[in-house]
Amino acid sequence: MDLLDDSAVEQKLAAVPEWRREGDEIRRTITASDFPTAIRIVDEIAVEAEKLNHHPDIDIRWRRLHLALTTHDAGGLTEMDFRLASRIDEIAAAH
Ligand SMILES: C[C@H](O)[C@H](O)[C@H]1CNC2=NC(N)=NC(=O)C2=N1
Protein backbone atom coordinates (compact mmCIF):
# COMPACT_ATOMS: atom_id res chain seq x y z
CA MET A 1 0.00 0.00 0.00
CA ASP A 2 1.48 3.35 -1.08
CA LEU A 3 1.80 6.38 1.19
CA LEU A 4 -0.52 9.22 0.24
CA ASP A 5 1.01 12.61 -0.51
CA ASP A 6 -0.26 15.72 1.30
CA SER A 7 -2.70 16.75 -1.42
CA ALA A 8 -4.20 13.25 -1.56
CA VAL A 9 -4.59 13.27 2.23
CA GLU A 10 -6.35 16.64 2.14
CA GLN A 11 -8.63 15.43 -0.64
CA LYS A 12 -9.56 12.26 1.25
CA LEU A 13 -10.06 14.13 4.52
CA ALA A 14 -12.82 16.12 2.84
CA ALA A 15 -14.84 12.88 2.60
CA VAL A 16 -14.50 12.14 6.33
CA PRO A 17 -14.99 15.57 7.95
CA GLU A 18 -15.03 14.20 11.52
CA TRP A 19 -11.34 13.31 11.16
CA ARG A 20 -8.30 15.55 11.58
CA ARG A 21 -4.76 14.96 10.40
CA GLU A 22 -2.09 14.80 13.11
CA GLY A 23 1.20 14.05 11.37
CA ASP A 24 1.19 10.45 10.22
CA GLU A 25 -2.24 9.80 11.75
CA ILE A 26 -5.84 10.83 11.32
CA ARG A 27 -7.85 11.12 14.52
CA ARG A 28 -11.44 11.55 15.61
CA THR A 29 -13.42 11.33 18.84
CA ILE A 30 -16.73 9.49 19.20
CA THR A 31 -18.93 10.43 22.16
CA ALA A 32 -21.37 7.65 23.08
CA SER A 33 -24.48 7.98 25.25
CA ASP A 34 -22.92 5.85 28.02
CA PHE A 35 -20.02 3.53 28.72
CA PRO A 36 -21.69 0.26 27.61
CA THR A 37 -22.61 1.91 24.30
CA ALA A 38 -19.02 3.08 23.88
CA ILE A 39 -17.84 -0.51 24.34
CA ARG A 40 -20.46 -1.80 21.89
CA ILE A 41 -19.15 0.71 19.34
CA VAL A 42 -15.60 -0.51 19.98
CA ASP A 43 -16.80 -4.07 19.38
CA GLU A 44 -18.40 -3.15 16.04
CA ILE A 45 -15.25 -1.29 15.01
CA ALA A 46 -13.20 -4.36 15.92
CA VAL A 47 -15.27 -6.54 13.57
CA GLU A 48 -14.81 -4.10 10.67
CA ALA A 49 -11.12 -3.67 11.41
CA GLU A 50 -10.61 -7.41 11.36
CA LYS A 51 -12.43 -7.67 8.01
CA LEU A 52 -10.07 -5.04 6.56
CA ASN A 53 -7.03 -6.36 8.43
CA HIS A 54 -6.48 -2.73 9.38
CA HIS A 55 -6.71 -1.73 13.03
CA PRO A 56 -7.15 1.58 14.84
CA ASP A 57 -5.57 2.75 18.05
CA ILE A 58 -8.45 3.26 20.48
CA ASP A 59 -8.25 5.25 23.72
CA ILE A 60 -11.39 4.53 25.76
CA ARG A 61 -12.28 7.21 28.31
CA TRP A 62 -15.75 6.60 29.80
CA ARG A 63 -18.16 7.64 26.98
CA ARG A 64 -15.45 9.08 24.73
CA LEU A 65 -13.50 7.06 22.22
CA HIS A 66 -10.36 8.67 20.83
CA LEU A 67 -9.45 6.91 17.59
CA ALA A 68 -6.24 7.15 15.63
CA LEU A 69 -5.52 5.59 12.23
CA THR A 70 -2.22 5.13 10.44
CA THR A 71 -0.74 2.35 8.30
CA HIS A 72 2.09 0.97 10.39
CA ASP A 73 3.46 -1.18 7.56
CA ALA A 74 3.80 1.89 5.32
CA GLY A 75 4.88 4.30 8.06
CA GLY A 76 2.12 6.80 7.41
CA LEU A 77 -1.28 7.43 5.82
CA THR A 78 -2.63 5.21 3.06
CA GLU A 79 -5.97 4.49 1.41
CA MET A 80 -6.65 1.84 4.10
CA ASP A 81 -6.80 4.51 6.80
CA PHE A 82 -9.53 6.40 4.99
CA ARG A 83 -11.43 3.22 4.14
CA LEU A 84 -11.58 2.24 7.82
CA ALA A 85 -12.32 5.84 8.85
CA SER A 86 -15.39 5.79 6.62
CA ARG A 87 -16.57 2.45 8.11
CA ILE A 88 -16.04 3.86 11.62
CA ASP A 89 -18.13 6.93 10.76
CA GLU A 90 -20.99 4.66 9.62
CA ILE A 91 -20.82 2.76 12.92
CA ALA A 92 -20.77 5.97 14.96
CA ALA A 93 -23.70 7.41 13.00
CA ALA A 94 -25.78 4.31 13.78
CA HIS A 95 -25.61 4.94 17.56
C1 LIG B 1 1.11 -8.00 8.88
C2 LIG B 1 0.41 -6.72 9.33
O1 LIG B 1 0.45 -6.64 10.71
C3 LIG B 1 -1.04 -6.76 8.91
O2 LIG B 1 -1.03 -6.78 7.53
C4 LIG B 1 -1.86 -5.52 9.32
C5 LIG B 1 -2.54 -5.63 10.64
N1 LIG B 1 -3.30 -4.42 10.92
C6 LIG B 1 -2.76 -3.23 10.57
N2 LIG B 1 -3.30 -2.08 11.02
C7 LIG B 1 -2.74 -0.89 10.76
N3 LIG B 1 -3.30 0.24 11.24
N4 LIG B 1 -1.63 -0.81 10.01
C8 LIG B 1 -1.02 -1.88 9.48
O3 LIG B 1 0.01 -1.75 8.80
C9 LIG B 1 -1.60 -3.18 9.73
N5 LIG B 1 -1.09 -4.30 9.22
Side-chain angles (χ1 to χ4, degrees):
M1 185 65 66
D2 296 333
L3 283 178
L4 298 171
D5 66 23
D6 289 347
S7 62
V9 169
E10 287 312 307
Q11 185 193 354
K12 289 182 180 298
L13 272 175
V16 285
E18 298 294 325
W19 296 78
R20 294 280 174 277
R21 180 176 192 170
E22 314 250 341
D24 285 338
E25 299 180 335
I26 55 172
R27 293 185 188 167
R28 78 158 283 184
T29 295
I30 297 171
T31 301
S33 52
D34 56 25
F35 187 64
T37 303
I39 299 304
R40 273 193 291 278
I41 291 170
V42 169
D43 185 55
E44 291 176 28
I45 291 172
V47 169
E48 285 306 310
E50 202 64 10
K51 279 185 209 167
L52 290 177
N53 188 33
H54 199 72
H55 306 83
D57 296 344
I58 305 174
D59 180 357
I60 301 171
R61 301 186 181 204
W62 184 30
R63 302 183 299 142
R64 281 185 184 74
L65 303 173
H66 301 286
L67 299 147
L69 293 171
T70 191
T71 303
H72 303 291
D73 294 349
L77 289 168
T78 70
E79 167 64 33
M80 287 306 295
D81 298 305
F82 291 92
R83 197 171 304 167
L84 181 54
S86 177
R87 297 270 185 96
I88 288 170
D89 290 351
E90 289 167 11
I91 291 166
H95 284 271

